[in-house]
Amino acid sequence: VEECMQIAGDFAVNFFEDSWLNVPAPGLGGLTPLEASEDEEYAPIMPDVVAHIEDFIDKAVESGEPVYDFARLREAIGIADRE
């Protein structure tokens, strides 16, 4: 269990700090979150964007609801569902 938690934590770090920061977002005018944080129009809303994501994940964890349907990932790479 501890090893799985470490893997999940590492994944979250890599996703948010490497991927999410650098992927253009339609809601940010096509800017990446990193670019938006330096943009005069979007920089003021970035604290709310991050807070919204944080709250969404925290609420999902608290409620026991999944944040992502991993069946979609399994289907995309052609592996069987968990049993």
Side-chain angles (χ1 to χ4, degrees):
V1 173
E2 187 175 320
E3 183 178 336
C4 289
M5 293 301 293
Q6 181 65 43
I7 291 169
D10 290 346
F11 176 82
V13 167
N14 290 332
F15 174 76
F16 285 110
E17 295 177 12
D18 295 333
S19 298
W20 183 79
L21 280 177
N22 298 298
V23 174
L28 297 173
L31 299 174
T32 68
L34 194 56
E35 293 166 337
S37 71
E38 298 172 353
D39 183 84
E40 185 176 301
E41 179 180 354
Y42 292 101
I45 68 165
M46 291 308 294
D48 290 334
V49 170
V50 173
H52 178 75
I53 295 168
E54 185 177 19
D55 290 346
F56 172 78
I57 292 173
D58 286 348
K59 286 177 186 173
V61 169
E62 288 172 9
S63 72
E65 294 295 319
V67 174
Y68 176 73
D69 179 3
F70 282 90
R72 294 169 52 112
L73 183 62
R74 288 184 192 91
E75 183 179 334
I77 62 173
I79 62 174
D81 283 339
R82 284 173 67 175
E83 296 194 20

